[in-house]
């Protein structure tokens, strides 16, 4: 293949993979414990003419559906029908090769007669991990890897982390003044940021599997923790309270609405049995982890327990004690900082509790990845810097 032809093919592959990545992002917060995958099936035109960076026509599109089934490839093949034969499948994650609730996607692609598969990244799940690619190649299908790899890895960072480390990705959301305060000295906090920032925060909830708060925030605010945006009513995140001493009362909003919106409480195995029973009767799921003598829970133990229950992406919304515990344990992977153009001063309540670092070198460090406006407020997203 000449360099010009190879270059044109590479441009087409990137353009079509970009479409598959956009489809994959639709599944965020809605497909756990599965990854969010997108698939586009493209047949080359007889003329070979390019349109918009693509040669050919899209015959099928799919993304992982709610609850993780059907998979993206299965959905795209269903929509394409017989037109899938001879097409190129652009998929953001290696097609699965194991039998679960549904047959392997690699087998479905083979049966449909696709000629080529372009995949962004390999699936690290031991049940797949290269086996999907091997099965496709054994069937005579050309396989290309690595197109859009970094974008695909970011979309499924939570799934990949859960497979490799057993825990979900943690995003810490902060809504503060410019000097990092979340409330006045008397606790007043409504509203530091404006309507646009709060709407963006609700969108973040929809893109995560779960929203987590500490017991202090649950007691002080009695929040709903739901996503209240048009069109998102059917994709509510799990609501999680970190509550080592099990202080959440059955009368709390989170407990009373647990049958309508999933509510989990992470608490110690030795926490009050009567309170556990009362909360469970309301539909609250009790997640027991080891606790210290003072009832405190180690953040890593809690996250491993949540990962074991399938969660891949957790949005942490408060308060300062929980934020500090996660930062001290080096468990914050992403940060979304909403900042209002205002200053409260030293008497205001800080967004993060004491970290007790002896030197600047011990501070958790992050790199900014995006900056945007949210009405009069600002939003900066960060990614943890590996030490």
């Amino acid at each position: 293949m000449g360099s010009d032809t190879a270059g044109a093919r590479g441009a087409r592959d990137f353009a079509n993979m970009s479409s598959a990545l956009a489809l994959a992002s639709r599944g965020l917060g809605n497909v756990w414990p599965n990854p969010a995958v997108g698939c586009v099936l493209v047949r080359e035109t007889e003329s070979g003419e390019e349109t918009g960076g693509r040669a050919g026509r899209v015959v099928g599109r799919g993304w992982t559906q709610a609850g993780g089934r059907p998979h993206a490839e299965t959905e795209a093949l269903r929509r394409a029908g017989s037109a899938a034969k001879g097409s190129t499948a652009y998929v953001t994650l290696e097609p699965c090769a194991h039998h679960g609730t549904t047959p392997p996607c690699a087998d479905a692609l083979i049966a449909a007669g696709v000629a080529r598969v372009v995949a962004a990244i390999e699936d690290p799940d031991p049940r797949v991990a290269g086996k999907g690619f091997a099965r496709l190649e054994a069937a005579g299908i050309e396989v290309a890897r690595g197109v859009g790899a970094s974008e695909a890895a970011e979309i499924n960072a939570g799934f990949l982390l859960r497979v490799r480390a057993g825990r979900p990705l943690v995003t810490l959301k902060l809504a503060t003044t410019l000097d990092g305060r979340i409330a006045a000295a008397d606790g007043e906090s409504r509203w530091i940021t404006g309507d646009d920032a709060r709407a963006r925060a609700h969108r973040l909830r929809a893109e995560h599997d779960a929203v987590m708060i500490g017991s202090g925030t649950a007691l002080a605010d009695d929040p709903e923790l739901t996503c209240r945006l048009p069109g998102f009513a059917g994709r509510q995140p799990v609501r999680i309270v970190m509550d080592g001493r099990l202080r959440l009362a059955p009368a709390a909003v989170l407990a009373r609405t647990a049958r309508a919106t999933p509510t989990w409480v992470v608490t110690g195995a030795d926490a009050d049995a009567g309170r556990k029973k009362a909360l469970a009767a309301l539909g609250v799921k009790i997640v027991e982890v080891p606790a210290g003598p003072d009832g405190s829970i180690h953040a890593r133990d809690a996250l491993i327990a949540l990962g074991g229950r399938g969660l891949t992406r957790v949005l942490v919304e408060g308060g300062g004690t929980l934020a500090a515990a996660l930062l001290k344990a080096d468990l914050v992977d992403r940060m979304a900082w909403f900042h209002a153009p205002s200053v409260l001063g030293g008497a205001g309540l800080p967004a993060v509790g004491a970290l007790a670092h002896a030197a600047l070198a011990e501070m958790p460090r992050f790199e900014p990845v995006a900056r945007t406006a949210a009405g009069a407020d600002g939003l900066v997203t960060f990614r943890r810097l590996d030490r």
Side-chain angles (χ1 to χ4, degrees):
M1 182 182 293
S3 59
D4 291 344
T5 303
R9 190 186 216 192
R12 294 196 299 270
D13 285 350
F14 183 79
N16 288 315
M17 183 60 76
S18 295
S19 296
L21 290 163
L23 293 173
S25 65
R26 296 185 181 187
L28 291 177
N30 207 31
V31 301
W32 65 278
N34 284 17
V37 180
C39 179
V40 176
L41 301 173
V42 180
R43 286 179 63 96
E44 291 194 8
T45 58
E46 292 183 5
S47 65
E49 295 180 357
E50 293 188 26
T51 303
R54 298 172 174 82
R57 62 187 178 92
V58 174
V59 296
R61 295 182 177 89
W63 59 94
T64 312
Q65 298 297 293
R69 296 288 190 281
H71 288 182
E73 301 94 321
T74 303
E75 185 69 9
L77 290 170
R78 181 188 67 80
R79 298 184 183 201
S82 60
K85 187 173 183 180
S87 68
T88 295
Y90 294 89
V91 60
T92 59
L93 184 69
E94 177 185 6
C96 64
H98 62 285
H99 284 268
T101 306
T102 56
C105 290
D107 288 356
L109 291 167
I110 293 168
V114 303
R116 182 170 177 252
V117 172
V118 180
I121 56 176
E122 180 178 300
D123 187 342
D125 187 323
R127 298 171 298 176
V128 187
K131 299 182 183 70
F133 291 148
R135 189 170 296 188
L136 293 168
E137 290 172 330
I141 295 173
E142 178 187 350
V143 176
R145 304 166 174 82
V147 178
S150 60
E151 296 88 346
E154 180 59 28
I155 288 172
N156 271 311
F159 170 77
L160 299 175
L161 185 61
R162 179 176 173 265
V163 171
R164 292 167 177 157
R167 70 168 180 86
L169 184 89
V170 172
T171 299
L172 176 61
K173 190 218 83 175
L174 302 174
T176 78
T177 58
L178 292 175
D179 55 340
R181 305 293 160 171
I182 58 173
D186 63 358
E188 180 189 359
S189 61
R190 294 188 178 185
W191 294 100
I192 284 178
T193 54
D195 291 344
D196 290 348
R198 292 195 295 276
R200 188 72 68 87
H202 278 268
R203 180 63 181 260
L204 276 175
R205 289 180 180 179
E207 293 172 347
H208 285 75
D209 307 340
V211 179
M212 177 189 288
I213 60 173
S215 60
T217 299
L219 294 174
D221 297 345
D222 196 21
E224 293 182 46
L225 295 185
T226 52
C227 175
R228 297 185 289 278
L229 290 178
F232 287 90
R235 53 186 299 184
Q236 294 296 333
V238 175
R239 305 173 301 183
I240 300 173
V241 181
M242 288 278 281
D243 191 2
R245 290 177 287 166
L246 201 56
R247 298 190 293 165
L248 185 71
V253 169
L254 291 172
R256 290 189 286 106
T257 59
R259 296 199 186 280
T261 304
T263 303
W264 299 1
V265 173
V266 182
T267 191
D270 296 330
D272 184 83
R275 179 62 63 89
K276 288 180 185 178
K277 184 177 180 179
L279 291 172
L282 294 171
V284 176
K285 177 182 286 189
I286 305 298
V287 180
E288 295 184 354
V289 297
D294 61 349
S296 62
I297 295 171
H298 195 286
R300 188 173 297 277
D301 290 339
L303 291 177
I304 292 295
L306 297 175
R309 285 160 175 77
L311 295 181
T312 65
R313 293 165 56 87
V314 173
L315 179 68
V316 177
E317 293 203 6
T321 300
L322 177 58
L326 292 165
L327 286 165
K328 282 193 289 187
D330 202 21
L331 293 171
V332 175
D333 306 290
R334 305 288 186 271
M335 188 180 297
W337 177 39
F338 294 90
H339 51 278
S342 56
V343 175
L344 260 176
L349 302 181
V352 178
L355 295 177
H357 293 314
L360 293 180
E362 297 177 5
M363 292 190 301
R365 294 187 179 273
F366 297 82
E367 60 176 342
V369 295
R371 302 174 190 270
T372 187
D377 305 312
L379 168 61
V380 185
T381 54
F382 298 87
R383 178 170 45 225
R384 181 179 60 173
L385 277 174
D386 293 328
R387 296 177 184 175

